[in-house]
Structure formats: structure tokens, C-alpha cells
Amino acid sequence: MTPTHLPGRVAIPALPEQTRTPPPGGLEPFNAAPPHEVRATLLTCLHSTRWADRVADHRPYPDIDALLAACDEAAYDLPPAELSHALAAEALPFLPEDVYSAAHTALSAAYAAYEAKFGHGFIICLDGLTHTESLDHVLAGIRSRLANDPEEERVLAAEELRRLAKGRLVSHLA
């Protein structure tokens, strides 16, 4: 482009037209999908309609970090009843069958004690662990967390729930 010259003015070249590049990875389909589809996907990550609505309503996200930050923020804002509902909907952590048979008694007793004390199932994120590390992580986690008071444990369980939700969402987008 040629600069425009006017008397007494400095010529400034025009800037090239800016284009927006699409977000990397699987965000483009996530950002463009109909709201009901996004909410359904999000509900598979965390069983909270309030959380799913909030994350879906703030699309589009420029990158995965922004999406995960929004997931965290929405989860931190869950009222106690919604958090209780989300915790209740979680299943036991996945461990290989042979691990359950080898440690079934210890895990069953620990899960029962945890649920009796805190009123919801034990929640722990096992992302990034091998199958052999998972059992040790679960047993150590449940033993240490059984010593918590209910409010302290609610905070830890909510953090694990956030980690699970983000890991599930990242897996879905991959």
C-alpha cells in the first residue's frame, strides 16, 4: 500500500488487514458447536448443570489455557448443594481389575469409612499415573484425607473434582 501524502502531515502506511487465526487443537469445533451439544459434553466432565452452562456460555475461548481457567473459575463458584450433587455423581476411580481383587478389602473398608465420614464418595484424580502407581496413590490419598475435618475435605474433594473435569475435557478435545 502506498502512503497518503497530505500537506503538513507525515505519511503513515496503512496496516495490512488483520485476520483472526482459529484456536489450536480441538477448540474450533468446541467453540462452534451448538450450546446443547457443548453442555452435554461438559456434563460428562463434571456433573453440574451450573458449571456446564457457565463454561458453555462464555465461548469462544481463544486457547486451551483460557478454557481451563474458565472451568476452574466456574467450579470454584459452585454453591455447596451443586458441589454435593457433582461429588455424588462421581464413580470410584478406575483401577485395573487385578488391583481391585488384590486390595479389595482394604479399599472397600477405606471407601466405606470415607463415605460415612464425609457423606460422599472418595474423589481423586489419577491422570498421568500408571496402573501400578494408581493403587498406591488412591490408598495413600484416602488414608491421609480420612484425617481431615469435613470442611477441609470438601475443599480437597472439590479440587480433585476440578482436576478430573479438566482432564476429561482435555481428553475430549484431543
Side-chain angles (χ1 to χ4, degrees), residues 5-74:
H5 293 284
L6 297 174
R9 307 256 171 131
V10 175
I12 301 175
L15 294 174
E17 186 176 321
Q18 306 246 336
T19 58
R20 185 175 177 174
T21 56
L27 279 182
E28 191 172 330
F30 179 83
N31 282 333
H36 70 279
E37 286 179 20
V38 171
R39 284 179 178 84
T41 296
L42 290 168
L43 286 171
T44 67
C45 300
L46 180 72
H47 302 282
S48 165
T49 53
R50 180 183 176 123
W51 177 83
D53 287 346
R54 188 159 173 206
V55 173
D57 290 347
H58 285 92
R59 293 177 304 145
Y61 293 98
D63 56 43
I64 192 75
D65 291 336
L67 171 60
L68 296 180
C71 290
D72 272 346
E73 185 180 332

Side-chain angles (χ1 to χ4, degrees), residues 133-155:
E133 295 170 322
S134 296
L135 176 63
D136 291 338
H137 191 72
V138 169
L139 287 173
I142 200 165
R143 284 184 189 133
S144 71
R145 289 169 54 189
L146 273 167
N148 294 339
D149 65 58
E151 187 53 38
E152 182 181 23
E153 181 55 27
R154 189 170 194 76
V155 170

Side-chain angles (χ1 to χ4, degrees), residues 103-117:
H104 180 70
T105 304
L107 281 174
S108 294
Y111 285 140
Y114 182 94
E115 192 164 350
K117 182 172 182 177

